[in-house]
Amino acid sequence: MRYAIISDIHANVEALEAILNDIDRRRVDKIVCLGDIVGYNASPNETIDLVRKAGILSISGNHDMRATGDAEPLGFNPQARSAILWTRDQITPENKEYLASLPETLAVDDIFFMVHGSVNSADDYILSTSEAILNFELLKNEGDQHICFFGQTHRPAIFVEDEGRVFLVRGEGKEYDFMLRESAYYLINPGAVGQPRDQDERAAYTIYDARRNRVSFYRVVYDTAAASRKIVAAGLPFTLAVRIKQGW
Ligand code: ZN
């Protein structure tokens, strides 16, 4: 089986379309999403519609949970918060229902596990090896999952636990392949589709080839100017229009 793993689309339909075209060329069996379908950018309904039309299997992100109104955007920065409030006004009841129906975590085909932030919470971040160590322990209690994909940081990364050693393989801003070992444990972040934060404005995603036990990181150029113009036209914070053109 070949899986495309995408995350943090954040209502950026231009980036999602570009990624889906690229995925189409590479032939995969399934597309999965690690959450944050909405938030920050200006096309929430178009993005949700496309996720559903493309049959993408998704979990819920911390922004999705706030956009439904089930939780408040406490602890969000002012731009993220105002985008959530704007999104609540925009999304159709049907799309709100869809977001509310998403599970927080998911085990896929007995092959890998999906979380948004950390194994425990969609709000947490896995940025350091000490945070990774904690999450490797949680994965072992979660049915001894060896491979877990996570999002939330908007930065591609691979954390490895191999023979008691935990280390970070840096994958920012690059396209590359990485072979997985059967006995090791992995926490893998494909990077963000709709708001990359590794100084590379191209949309990011990963393909996991379960037969070859290989992950491949890809970057895709998309029309950042068009997505940026929509943010301005919607009256969302100007910073959000700038950052997607610069990759932060
Ligand atoms: Zn996010």
Side-chain angles (χ1 to χ4, degrees):
M1 288 282 273
R2 280 167 61 80
Y3 300 89
I5 322 280
I6 69 177
S7 190
D8 297 276
I9 307 166
H10 282 300
N12 186 335
V13 76
E14 288 78 13
L16 179 61
E17 279 168 355
I19 285 273
L20 290 178
N21 284 335
D22 204 66
I23 289 171
D24 211 32
R25 283 194 308 123
R26 298 185 198 277
R27 300 187 183 282
V28 301
D29 299 294
K30 232 178 239 187
I31 308 174
V32 301
C33 171
L34 308 170
D36 276 3
I37 297 170
V38 300
Y40 291 123
N41 301 308
S43 306
N45 285 312
E46 297 85 334
T47 301
I48 297 172
D49 291 345
L50 186 50
V51 164
R52 299 176 73 177
K53 196 177 121 213
I56 298 170
L57 183 66
S58 187
I59 58 172
S60 176
N62 55 331
H63 287 252
D64 303 324
M65 293 167 187
R66 270 65 180 199
T68 61
D70 289 342
E72 288 311 308
L74 303 171
F76 277 35
N77 69 47
Q79 293 85 15
R81 193 185 129 76
S82 84
I84 285 295
L85 300 179
W86 178 86
T87 303
R88 278 184 189 171
D89 284 344
Q90 300 294 317
I91 51 173
T92 63
E94 193 195 341
N95 282 339
K96 199 171 277 190
E97 212 169 287
Y98 166 78
L99 290 182
S101 75
L102 300 176
E104 283 195 39
T105 63
L106 208 56
V108 180
D109 302 335
D110 283 329
I111 294 180
F112 61 85
F113 199 58
M114 290 163 58
V115 304
H116 180 66
S118 75
V119 176
N120 265 346
S121 163
D123 284 304
D124 285 352
Y125 291 81
I126 305 174
L127 284 161
S128 65
T129 47
S130 57
E131 285 153 352
I133 288 168
L134 191 78
N135 280 278
F136 282 127
E137 288 315 308
L138 295 169
L139 284 176
K140 287 168 194 166
N141 298 331
E142 207 49 74
D144 201 33
Q145 298 283 346
H146 275 253
I147 303 167
C148 176
F149 291 94
F150 69 101
Q152 166 85 331
T153 67
H154 298 203
R155 294 165 179 272
I158 306 174
F159 288 96
V160 185
E161 185 194 304
D162 199 356
E163 290 170 3
R165 252 172 16 98
V166 175
F167 55 93
L168 169 64
V169 181
R170 284 233 164 253
E172 297 190 357
K174 279 186 290 186
E175 291 198 319
Y176 69 105
D177 294 336
F178 188 81
M179 299 299 297
L180 308 184
R181 272 157 49 92
E182 205 100 346
S183 59
Y185 291 83
Y186 297 93
L187 281 159
I188 303 167
N189 191 321
V193 173
Q195 193 196 73
R197 294 181 190 160
D198 57 347
Q199 322 306 320
D200 182 341
E201 75 286 1
R202 294 175 301 167
Y205 78 97
T206 290
I207 288 181
Y208 172 51
D209 189 319
R211 193 170 61 82
R212 295 197 166 87
N213 221 7
R214 183 184 66 198
V215 281
S216 306
F217 289 76
Y218 297 108
R219 301 302 287 243
V220 182
V221 173
Y222 75 95
D223 193 349
T224 54
S228 186
R229 276 195 302 273
K230 279 192 195 167
I231 292 169
V232 176
L236 285 161
F238 189 67
T239 332
L240 298 176
V242 175
R243 66 186 300 180
I244 56 164
K245 292 203 276 189
Q246 298 174 346
W248 57 272

